[in-house]
Amino acid sequence: MIKHVVSFKFKGTEEERKKIANLFSDALLKLPAQIPQLKSIEVGININPAEKWDLVLTATADSLEDVAIYSTHPAHQAAVAIIAPHKEDRACVDYIV
C-alpha cells in the first residue's frame, strides 16, 4: 500500500487561505466515493499560526499506478482547480506502508 502525503501553502491573507483550505478540503473528502483507486483520504487544515503551511492531505492507494490514476481523475482535477490560483507551494511524499 502507498501513503500519499501532500502539503500545501496558499497565497493571500490568513482569512483567504482558511477559506480556500476549507473549500479544497470539502472537495478532497468526496474523492474516495468517486475514485475507486483511492482507498482513503484524510485532510488537515493547519491551526498553528506559527507555521506557514496551510493544509495537508494523506491518501492511501494500493500502488503508485493507482496514485497516478487518482491524480489524473477528473474529480481530482476539479478539486485541484479550486486552489490553482491560490497555490503558493506544494510538497509531496509517497511511501510504502
Side-chain angles (χ1 to χ4, degrees):
M1 181 166 295
I2 303 296
K3 188 89 56 152
H4 175 70
V5 182
V6 188
S7 295
F8 294 91
K9 188 184 301 185
F10 302 127
K11 301 174 192 172
T13 66
E14 183 177 344
E15 182 179 317
E16 291 167 336
R17 293 188 341 264
K18 291 272 188 222
K19 180 180 177 184
I20 200 67
N22 281 302
L23 290 171
F24 190 42
S25 176
D26 291 345
L28 290 171
L29 291 172
K30 295 175 185 172
L31 295 180
Q34 301 171 14
I35 306 172
Q37 293 79 8
L38 186 59
K39 301 304 177 195
S40 69
I41 195 164
E42 179 179 301
V43 180
I45 297 172
N46 188 18
I47 61 166
N48 184 346
E51 297 297 334
K52 302 302 177 200
W53 291 86
D54 295 298
L55 182 142
V56 64
L57 75 85
T58 304
T60 58
D62 288 333
S63 66
L64 279 176
E65 292 79 12
D66 285 348
V67 171
I69 291 168
Y70 146 73
S71 295
T72 59
H73 191 281
H76 178 259
Q77 291 300 309
V80 169
I82 292 169
I83 64 163
H86 308 280
K87 185 174 71 175
E88 182 175 318
D89 206 353
R90 175 188 180 275
C92 177
V93 175
D94 295 311
Y95 62 94
I96 297 172
V97 291

